[in-house]
């Protein structure tokens, strides 16, 4: 079975929920009546479809199943219904499913919180109720004044696109004054990735140069920017030399030097953010990173930073 492709913001949201599950559930309109713990199901058919599952403990335990969606999906509710049944069967507990829509373009008039199936002679045979949370309807001030783990979704809340940069600056200010560098790096990376659903990349690039918390990341979270700047720097150098040795030769040398600088920048990014997340790499791990000359592989590893559990999982290609 082909594995589903996860976009960076999907991975980011699932990881952020592990930081403070009760805080996230409250923003979904759910006030847990018991301790909250993440659930890992062993059913492969569930694992391939489900974004996040938590168990709510207490005298009457139950489970919550959350699906994030940023693009339209014709089979979304049927898939959620299927997952709900499978999760309930594995966990032996009732399951509430929540559809979390990240932006208006992912919405549908069919998402009404009910999925009904009927048989002509017998009437209703299936009634599946689920909750729908539309991020763009959430109160941005409540999020910005809430726990750090939920701050990144402020960029997707009830705020205009023009105000998103100011939202990022407010998150940046909290990171500088309230958290350690490891938490700050994760929150700001997540905030920038999610902001990419609302504003243009050029705006994010400009913001990064002015956000104070970027010093904590050594300006490395937006790895594509580093790569492109490295290539452009090398290309400019090549052009200058090319005026003396030949424009075409200079361009080629510049691109080669730029690519090497890009590789160095992305490796540095991987080691820096990886150290903040997993701790200092041992000599073997550092050597393994330094030996990677494939930009695509480095980029894939960077995308796994927020979902991998340790250095080994981060560097292991599936």
């Amino acid at each position: 079975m082909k594995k589903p492709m996860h976009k960076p913001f999907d991975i980011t949201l699932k990881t952020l929920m592990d930081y403070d599950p009760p805080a996230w559930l409250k923003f979904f309109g759910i006030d847990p009546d018991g301790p909250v713990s993440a659930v890992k199901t062993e059913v492969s058919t569930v694992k391939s479809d489900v974004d996040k599952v938590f168990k709510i403990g207490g005298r009457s335990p139950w489970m919550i199943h959350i699906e994030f969606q940023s693009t339209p999906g014709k089979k979304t509710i049927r898939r959620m219904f299927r997952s709900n049944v499978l999760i309930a069967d594995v966990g032996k507990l009732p399951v509430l499913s929540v559809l979390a829509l990240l932006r208006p373009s992912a919405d549908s008039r069919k998402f009404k919180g009910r999925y009904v199936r009927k048989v002509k002679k017998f009437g209703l045979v299936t009634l599946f109720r689920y909750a729908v949370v539309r991020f763009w309807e959430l109160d941005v001030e409540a999020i910005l004044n809430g726990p750090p783990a939920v701050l990144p979704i402020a960029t997707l809340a009830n705020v205009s696109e023009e105000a998103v940069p100011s939202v990022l600056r407010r998150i940046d200010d909290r990171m500088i004054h309230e958290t350690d560098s490891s938490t700050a790096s994760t929150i700001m990376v997540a905030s920038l990735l999610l902001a990419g659903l609302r504003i243009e990349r050029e705006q994010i690039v400009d913001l990064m140069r002015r956000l104070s918390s970027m010093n904590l990341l050594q300006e490395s979270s937006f790895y594509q920017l580093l790569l492109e700047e490295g290539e452009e720097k090398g290309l400019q150098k090549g052009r200058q030399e090319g005026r003396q040795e030949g424009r075409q030769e200079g361009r080629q040398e510049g691109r080669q030097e730029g690519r090497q600088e890009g590789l160095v920048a992305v490796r540095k990014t991987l080691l820096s953010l990886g150290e903040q997340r997993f701790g200092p790499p041992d000599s073997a791990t550092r050597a393994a990173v330094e030996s990677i000359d494939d930009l695509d592989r480095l980029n894939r590893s960077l995308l796994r930073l927020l979902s991998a559990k340790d250095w080994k999982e981060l560097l292991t290609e599936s």
Side-chain angles (χ1 to χ4, degrees), residues 21-63:
W24 275 86
L25 296 185
K26 287 181 180 180
F27 274 99
F28 288 159
I30 300 167
D31 191 4
D33 51 2
V36 181
S37 58
V39 174
K40 293 183 179 180
T41 176
E42 297 301 325
V43 179
S44 60
T45 53
V46 174
K47 287 174 67 178
S48 64
D49 290 335
V50 173
D51 280 345
K52 207 69 182 177
V53 179
F54 291 103
K55 177 181 177 181
I56 314 298
R59 293 186 176 181
S60 301
W62 52 288
M63 301 172 77

Side-chain angles (χ1 to χ4, degrees), residues 33-209:
D33 51 2
V36 181
S37 58
V39 174
K40 293 183 179 180
T41 176
E42 297 301 325
V43 179
S44 60
T45 53
V46 174
K47 287 174 67 178
S48 64
D49 290 335
V50 173
D51 280 345
K52 207 69 182 177
V53 179
F54 291 103
K55 177 181 177 181
I56 314 298
R59 293 186 176 181
S60 301
W62 52 288
M63 301 172 77
I64 180 168
H65 152 225
I66 300 169
E67 288 294 332
F68 296 106
Q69 184 158 309
S70 61
T71 57
K74 294 182 179 180
K75 299 180 180 179
T76 299
I77 304 306
R78 280 190 289 169
R79 176 169 53 82
M80 285 182 61
F81 172 55
R82 170 177 172 271
S83 296
N84 182 287
V85 172
L86 289 169
I87 294 168
D89 182 60
V90 172
K92 311 302 180 186
L93 292 172
V95 179
L96 169 65
S97 290
V98 178
L99 175 60
L101 301 170
L102 306 190
R103 52 184 171 178
S105 61
D107 203 358
S108 169
R109 58 186 178 183
K110 295 181 180 180
F111 299 155
K112 298 180 179 180
R114 289 164 55 95
Y115 174 57
V116 176
R117 281 178 170 175
K118 296 181 179 180
V119 175
K120 188 173 182 180
K121 291 184 178 181
F122 297 96
L124 180 68
V125 294
T126 300
L127 173 58
F128 169 50
R129 294 183 183 274
Y130 59 94
V132 183
V133 177
R134 294 173 170 86
F135 276 29
W136 60 93
E137 295 178 351
L138 296 176
D139 182 357
V140 67
E141 288 300 324
I143 297 172
L144 287 172
N145 293 316
V150 302
L151 286 176
I153 64 171
T155 61
L156 305 179
N158 187 12
V159 62
S160 66
E161 290 186 6
E162 292 76 16
V164 171
S166 66
V167 168
L168 286 168
R169 286 192 288 270
R170 287 180 63 180
I171 296 173
D172 175 60
D173 185 66
R174 285 196 59 182
M175 293 302 96
I176 288 297
H177 295 98
E178 299 180 21
T179 65
D180 57 84
S181 61
S182 178
T183 301
S185 66
T186 300
I187 297 301
M188 288 313 301
V189 167
S191 298
L192 290 166
L193 284 170
L194 293 177
L197 291 171
R198 299 288 311 279
I199 61 177
E200 295 298 325
R201 183 172 177 273
E202 288 73 17
Q203 292 177 271
I204 298 176
V205 170
D206 180 62
L207 272 168
M208 282 188 62
R209 296 190 176 101

Side-chain angles (χ1 to χ4, degrees), residues 271 274-275 278-291 310-312 315:
L271 288 168
E275 181 172 351
F278 312 123
D282 58 26
S283 57
T285 299
R286 184 175 292 275
V289 173
E290 296 290 353
S291 69
D310 51 34
W311 282 107
K312 181 178 180 180
L315 298 177

